[in-house]
């Protein structure tokens, strides 16, 4: 049964002086929840009053299909922008959008083709969704290496986490041993994440009081702090370089 949150207010366009943040969501392996993460993170930020732009770079066009469904159900909303483009155009598209949006999120296809690497340029953070299984862990190494080569900060988001089990604990331990940055907020294997897609909504709109929505709001806040800290560090470094 379809559920609705209270009527969604419109988010105003970005009015601040500084450029918005750019996040790219990538993972070598398919089926890890990249598009799911893009949508729900974007809508959590949008619901918190941020202006958000989404860019679909994946030929499978799952993000595009979600946005088409959203337009059919809810129509256009101020402060929420969507673009679809090829990977080689991604950096320029993101640079243009961040001028008048608080947050720009890019949904990358699986793999590490040249276009995917191009899409990383200009981003401040790579979010890598990771299901806690050995095959996902092995595939993640390619994405980790790519982020390192591009000198791009990376944050792993544990996705579709089972409620309990020794395998998940083992994989988390391996990530810690490898010193892979992992978000404190984990996303559970919850029906609301998928169900909200059917109505072109984010989970924070579809079931705002549910556990999935709570997890996504917490992740959005954590990513926001991570980005703010990174930009503050960058500014301090720039001031230090000028002083020298």
């Amino acid at each position: 049964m379809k559920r609705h949150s209270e009527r969604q207010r419109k988010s105003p366009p970005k009015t601040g002086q500084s450029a918005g943040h750019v996040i790219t969501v990538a993972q070598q392996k398919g089926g890890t929840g990249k598009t799911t993460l893009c949508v729900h993170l974007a809508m959590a930020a949008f619901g918190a009053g941020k202006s958000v732009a989404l860019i679909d770079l994946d030929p499978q066009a799952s993000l595009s299909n979600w946005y088409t469904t959203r337009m059919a159900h809810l129509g256009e909303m101020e402060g929420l922008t969507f673009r679809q483009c090829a990977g080689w155009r991604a950096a320029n598209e993101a640079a243009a959008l961040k001028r008048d949006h608080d947050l720009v999120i890019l949904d990358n296809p699986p793999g590490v083709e040249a276009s995917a690497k191009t899409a990383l340029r200009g981003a401040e953070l790579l979010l890598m969704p990771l299901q806690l299984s050995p095959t996902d862990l092995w595939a993640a190494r390619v994405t980790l290496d790519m982020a390192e080569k591009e000198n791009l900060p990376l944050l792993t988001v544990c996705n579709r986490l089972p409620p309990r089990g020794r395998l998940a604990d083992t994989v988390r331990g391996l990530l810690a041993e490898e010193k892979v940055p992992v978000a404190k907020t984990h996303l559970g294997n919850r029906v609301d994440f998928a169900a909200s897609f059917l109505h072109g909504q984010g989970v924070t709109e579809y079931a705002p009081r549910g556990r999935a929505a709570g997890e996504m709001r917490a992740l959005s806040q954590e990513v926001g702090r991570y980005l703010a800290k990174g930009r503050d560090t960058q500014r301090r470094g720039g001031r230090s370089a000028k002083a020298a």
Side-chain angles (χ1 to χ4, degrees):
M1 182 177 179
K2 184 177 178 181
R3 286 178 281 180
H4 292 282
S5 61
E6 61 273 12
R7 185 175 179 83
Q8 191 175 42
R9 63 174 178 75
K10 290 186 176 182
S11 176
K14 187 178 185 299
T15 57
Q17 294 297 317
S18 61
H21 297 286
V22 180
I23 297 173
T24 189
V25 179
Q27 165 63 289
Q28 160 72 10
K29 186 176 180 293
T32 57
K34 291 186 295 295
T35 304
T36 298
L37 180 58
C38 286
V39 164
H40 295 307
L41 187 64
M43 298 318 299
F46 184 69
K50 304 292 185 182
S51 54
V52 181
L54 283 161
I55 304 177
D56 190 359
L57 308 176
D58 193 340
Q60 291 186 7
S62 297
L63 181 57
S64 301
N65 291 332
W66 171 85
Y67 188 74
T68 299
T69 302
R70 181 178 184 85
M71 289 292 288
H73 282 268
L74 299 172
E76 189 172 351
M77 290 185 175
E78 186 180 8
L80 181 63
T81 302
F82 174 78
R83 295 283 187 274
Q84 185 177 23
C85 70
W88 62 269
R89 290 177 46 208
N92 289 337
E93 192 74 49
L97 287 168
K98 76 176 184 178
R99 288 198 289 266
D100 52 10
H101 290 80
D102 297 303
L103 184 64
V104 180
I105 302 177
L106 295 86
D107 185 15
N108 285 270
V112 289
E113 294 83 1
S115 60
K117 293 178 181 178
T118 303
L120 300 183
R121 292 166 192 165
E124 296 173 60
L125 176 66
L126 190 158
L127 286 182
M128 182 179 70
L130 181 70
Q131 297 182 94
L132 299 186
S133 72
T135 53
D136 285 72
L137 186 62
W138 296 330
R141 173 48 57 191
V142 179
T143 308
L144 291 168
D145 291 344
M146 182 171 63
E148 185 175 357
K149 288 177 183 177
E150 296 294 327
N151 196 29
L152 179 62
L154 176 144
L155 188 63
T156 303
V157 179
C158 295
N159 191 30
R160 297 171 185 157
L161 198 68
R164 61 182 65 85
R166 293 182 180 178
L167 179 59
D169 292 335
T170 301
V171 174
R172 279 196 295 257
L174 291 172
L175 289 170
E177 288 177 10
E178 292 287 328
K179 297 182 179 179
V180 176
V182 179
K184 293 179 181 178
T185 307
H186 302 325
L187 304 179
N189 190 17
R190 309 195 189 284
V191 173
D192 283 342
F193 284 124
S196 56
F197 257 58
L198 295 174
H199 307 295
Q201 293 181 293
V203 72
T204 50
E205 303 169 290
Y206 177 77
R209 296 178 179 83
R211 295 183 69 179
E215 290 170 354
M216 192 53 63
R217 279 191 291 267
L219 179 62
S220 177
Q221 292 165 7
E222 183 177 352
V223 169
R225 291 191 297 269
Y226 194 97
L227 289 168
K229 182 179 179 181
R231 184 163 288 185
D232 185 56
T233 300
Q234 190 177 46
R235 285 170 178 165
R236 288 201 304 269
R239 288 197 295 270
S240 297
K242 288 180 181 179

